[in-house]
Amino acid sequence: MIDVSWQRIITPSGCSEDNDSLSKIEHWRHDFRRGAFILKKELSVRSGPLRLSYLWLILEPLFLALVYYLVFSTLRASLNLTSLFIGLGLMMGFTRGLNSGLNTNLKDGGLMIDRVSSRAVIIGQMLILFVDSIFIISGISLVLFILYGVDILPILLMTFFSILIVMCSHSLYSVFQPIVIMVPDTAKILRFSGLAVFFGSPVLYPLGMTTGLHRTISLYNPFSYFVEPVRYFAINSEDVFLLIPEIAAIYSFLFAILIVISIRRMEKIRWRTSTWS
């Protein structure tokens, strides 16, 4: 016998469920389970032929830090390796959010679009970004804790900022998704902005080592407001006091709005790129 108390209404603009037999909490539980399934499926797909699988998210920042350390050592530059690891770890998180924000193909775990609500897809996307940020920063955290004696509090703070910068950079670049859908080539161009953020921010060295125009650009670069607080707690770097509090407040407000907008836009992007649109 068909249960007529439940129905899903599908239109080109979205999907809604009408089920009087389930409470709102039960709806959320069902969607969270679906989101968790999407995460598990994504982890399985990414593993593929790669034997190290997700370990590459841990190893890449470490290898990159080692390369830069060897380069700076050859140039006889004064380099604090702890500061370098922190900068590169958070930059990898920024890059992950950038690529995710420009990607218009939302992960659905192979579920048919009419079998799962947009809320479940959004939950799955957020879980994927969360897990990615944890993996990216975990290798750096272990090195800092075991080899350089960094306390657990700065490491936890760095982990939190890693999650935050992935979410913020994702929300920032997701603003351009409608343009990327119409002109896919723009995604290639926008990815080059990651290089501008890299060279226009104190990634390899603290803010205090910058001068002139580089200092000015860094002071207005959002990345500086993620990395310098971590360095302050990890290595007692006082360069955090060079930051502009008003700019920090403005960025906090803007990113909060962008995160909300990016989450709300996911449903529209999902249906716009589906066969139902």
Side-chain angles (χ1 to χ4, degrees):
M1 182 177 180
I2 300 176
D3 183 7
V4 295
S5 64
W6 180 91
Q7 61 178 336
R8 176 172 286 136
I9 302 172
I10 301 175
T11 65
S13 60
C15 171
S16 61
E17 293 183 351
D18 182 14
N19 189 348
D20 296 332
S21 64
L22 294 178
S23 66
K24 289 185 178 180
I25 295 178
E26 289 173 324
H27 272 297
W28 273 97
R29 287 176 179 172
H30 282 303
D31 284 336
F32 188 84
R33 293 191 191 100
R34 294 164 183 155
F37 172 80
I38 292 172
L39 170 64
K40 293 177 182 177
K41 184 64 177 293
E42 175 65 11
L43 295 178
S44 176
V45 170
R46 289 192 188 183
S47 297
L50 300 176
R51 295 188 178 275
L52 295 181
S53 183
Y54 251 56
L55 286 176
W56 281 113
L57 285 177
I58 300 175
L59 296 175
E60 281 186 25
L62 296 178
F63 290 154
L64 191 60
L66 179 60
V67 169
Y68 277 105
Y69 177 68
L70 293 175
V71 170
F72 276 81
S73 298
T74 303
L75 297 176
R76 301 180 183 275
S78 176
L79 183 67
N80 186 313
L81 197 56
T82 301
S83 177
L84 173 66
F85 273 119
I86 293 173
L88 287 176
L90 292 179
M91 177 52 66
M92 293 287 285
F94 170 83
T95 303
R96 175 64 184 93
L98 181 157
N99 291 328
S100 174
L102 293 177
N103 184 13
T104 58
N105 297 320
L106 295 179
K107 308 298 182 181
D108 57 9
L111 300 172
M112 294 179 62
I113 196 168
D114 55 345
R115 298 294 178 88
V116 60
S117 67
S118 293
R119 183 167 58 191
V121 175
I122 292 171
I123 292 174
Q125 179 71 18
M126 293 297 102
L127 287 175
I128 290 171
L129 291 176
F130 177 82
V131 171
D132 283 353
S133 62
I134 295 296
F135 268 93
I136 288 171
I137 209 65
S138 59
I140 299 289
S141 299
L142 286 174
V143 170
L144 294 180
F145 180 74
I146 296 174
L147 300 182
Y148 296 95
V150 177
D151 293 335
I152 191 67
L153 179 60
I155 289 176
L156 291 176
L157 181 66
M158 184 173 62
T159 302
F160 170 75
F161 271 82
S162 175
I163 298 170
L164 192 60
I165 198 170
V166 169
M167 297 296 182
C168 289
S169 58
H170 168 87
S171 64
L172 174 62
Y173 283 92
S174 67
V175 171
F176 301 100
Q177 283 183 343
I179 300 175
V180 173
I181 291 175
M182 293 186 294
V183 187
D185 290 346
T186 57
K188 296 286 186 181
I189 299 174
L190 288 169
R191 285 190 171 91
F192 282 109
S193 65
L195 290 176
V197 174
F198 181 86
F199 290 107
S201 60
V203 177
L204 305 178
Y205 35 77
L207 182 61
M209 294 182 66
T210 61
T211 58
L213 182 60
H214 192 188
R215 168 73 64 84
T216 302
I217 294 174
S218 296
L219 287 175
Y220 289 93
N221 190 324
F223 183 83
S224 301
Y225 293 82
F226 288 93
V227 68
E228 290 304 334
V230 177
R231 285 176 174 148
Y232 172 73
F233 286 96
I235 58 176
N236 297 319
S237 172
E238 296 186 356
D239 293 342
V240 67
F241 299 112
L242 296 174
L243 300 175
I244 306 172
E246 293 79 7
I247 298 298
I250 292 173
Y251 281 144
S252 299
F253 178 73
L254 289 178
F255 278 124
I257 294 177
L258 285 174
I259 289 174
V260 174
I261 292 175
S262 68
I263 291 175
R264 294 176 64 88
R265 181 183 283 117
M266 281 186 191
E267 180 173 16
K268 182 181 294 186
I269 295 297
R270 176 196 183 199
W271 291 100
R272 186 172 178 178
T273 56
S274 74
T275 55
W276 288 85
S277 60

